[in-house]
Amino acid sequence: MLKIVEAPDPILATISTECEVGDKSLLRLAKQMAKMMYANNGCGIAAPQVGVNKRLIVIDVDWDGEESASKNPIFLVNPEIVEAKGEKVIDREACLSCPGISVPVERHPWVRVGYFDLDGEEWEIEGDGLLARCLQHEIDHLEGKTLFESCLPEVRIKALQAYDQAKAMGAKPGESSIEVQ
């Protein structure tokens, strides 16, 4: 059974290895990751967040958290940002691996990402808003970057302190009650 890996676990700071395109064993892992993401009210999850050092992410930015809502996860194998456009925008982000907090993060407002699906077919996805933010956030995980490395430098120490406080209060993945300014 997979579980959410929480910072400062060293696997979150490790650059993930490429998956073998078309590897049928990825299907089981991807489905387990999606189940973990939905169970913790996430809109994205990367394999390192469940302790697996592979370049695999799952996203579903349309799911609204309701059990009866339609779930349409997108599974991205070996995703890479092909293009990022626009003046960077600051917005709040939370992370399943850093429960209890949300922090301001600066991201491109639009990205195009190349990836393979679970059948080994090559695709591209492009998007703005939450989709662009989620893609960049999850790909950061594949590069060994957590929310703390991605947040604005001037809030990093406050974010680490707030995370320690949230953990001491028993924060669980999917919770983000402390907003770091």
Side-chain angles (χ1 to χ4, degrees):
M1 179 69 179
L2 297 177
K3 69 178 187 85
I4 301 288
V5 173
E6 295 179 15
D9 192 297
I11 194 165
L12 296 173
T14 304
I15 296 175
S16 298
T17 59
E18 286 206 358
C19 298
E20 184 178 322
V21 174
D23 178 354
K24 296 300 178 195
S25 71
L26 293 177
L27 178 61
R28 182 171 185 255
L29 173 61
K31 285 183 176 183
Q32 290 176 324
M33 288 170 56
K35 186 176 181 178
M36 294 295 296
M37 177 184 75
Y38 292 124
N40 291 283
N41 295 314
C43 62
I45 192 167
Q49 293 181 273
V50 294
V52 179
N53 186 20
K54 296 267 187 196
R55 296 187 77 80
L56 173 65
I57 64 175
V58 181
I59 60 169
D60 188 348
V61 298
D62 295 325
W63 184 66
D64 64 6
E66 294 296 320
E67 200 53 43
S68 61
S70 175
K71 296 176 182 173
N72 297 302
I74 302 171
F75 304 104
L76 296 90
V77 177
N78 299 334
E80 288 191 35
I81 296 174
V82 175
E83 185 178 8
K85 285 186 188 175
E87 189 174 322
K88 289 185 175 181
V89 176
I90 298 171
D91 203 353
R92 306 201 71 69
E93 290 184 21
C95 179
L96 296 176
S97 291
C98 305
I101 64 168
S102 66
V103 298
V105 177
E106 187 176 55
R107 303 251 187 224
H108 288 282
W110 182 92
V111 293
R112 182 164 32 115
V113 172
Y115 69 99
F116 294 91
D117 66 16
L118 292 170
D119 294 321
E121 289 190 50
E122 193 168 8
W123 294 88
E124 281 191 348
I125 186 172
E126 60 183 54
D128 58 5
L130 181 58
L131 177 59
R133 187 163 288 278
C134 185
L135 286 165
Q136 292 170 85
H137 178 109
E138 300 309 332
I139 290 171
D140 274 357
H141 278 298
L142 304 181
E143 297 300 323
K145 290 175 70 176
T146 68
L147 196 58
F148 302 115
E149 289 80 31
S150 300
C151 71
L152 297 171
E154 59 270 22
V155 300
R156 187 167 294 132
I157 291 173
K158 288 190 268 184
L160 288 163
Q161 291 168 340
Y163 179 57
D164 287 342
Q165 179 185 359
K167 294 288 286 177
M169 293 176 1
K172 303 278 185 255
E175 298 176 356
S176 58
S177 57
I178 300 175
E179 287 190 10
V180 179
Q181 301 301 323

